[in-house]
Amino acid sequence: MNVMTEIYRNSIQPSENSMKKDKSYKRAKNQVKQYYEILKKRLSEKDMLLLDKLLSSYDIKTERKNIYCFQFGFRIALESAIDTWKWER
């Protein structure tokens, strides 16, 4: 694991703090819970296992994408800072 991934995983992520205040995020999060509970009642045990695997795979994919975006954003910010520093000299 590289340093940027370690920073991403072991630090407080500003996006999480802002998302908790975002009404659309809260509403969507509550809807996900609500839909999951509805499906839990309707689906067979076998189908629920499949749904749980789907959600788990989606979470892993999303986490990898978030790490990539974090690293990319950090790299762009650093390159911009270096370019600005060069122009000011």
Side-chain angles (χ1 to χ4, degrees):
M1 190 176 311
N2 69 29
V3 174
M4 293 305 299
T5 303
E6 281 295 318
I7 291 171
Y8 173 82
R9 286 194 172 148
N10 295 319
S11 66
I12 296 174
Q13 300 168 29
S15 60
E16 286 190 22
N17 290 332
S18 347
M19 287 188 316
K20 290 177 183 175
K21 296 174 188 172
D22 185 319
K23 289 179 183 177
S24 296
Y25 173 79
K26 285 169 109 176
R27 188 172 32 257
K29 186 176 177 180
N30 289 335
Q31 284 179 331
V32 167
K33 285 181 184 179
Q34 180 184 10
Y35 295 145
Y36 183 83
E37 289 303 316
I38 290 169
L39 286 172
K40 194 174 176 181
K41 291 175 185 174
R42 292 183 183 178
L43 297 176
S44 68
E45 190 174 322
K46 183 179 176 182
D47 289 337
M48 275 307 297
L49 287 172
L50 188 59
L51 176 62
D52 287 338
K53 286 180 182 181
L54 171 69
L55 293 174
S56 178
S57 296
Y58 182 80
D59 289 344
I60 291 168
K61 179 190 75 100
T62 301
E63 176 71 6
R64 294 300 308 156
K65 178 184 154 231
N66 289 345
I67 289 170
Y68 172 80
C69 290
F70 176 80
Q71 290 172 336
F72 184 77
F74 194 91
R75 185 171 43 249
I76 294 298
L78 186 58
E79 288 173 6
S80 297
I82 290 170
D83 284 348
T84 301
W85 180 76
K86 285 179 184 178
W87 279 97
E88 290 178 357
R89 296 193 89 199

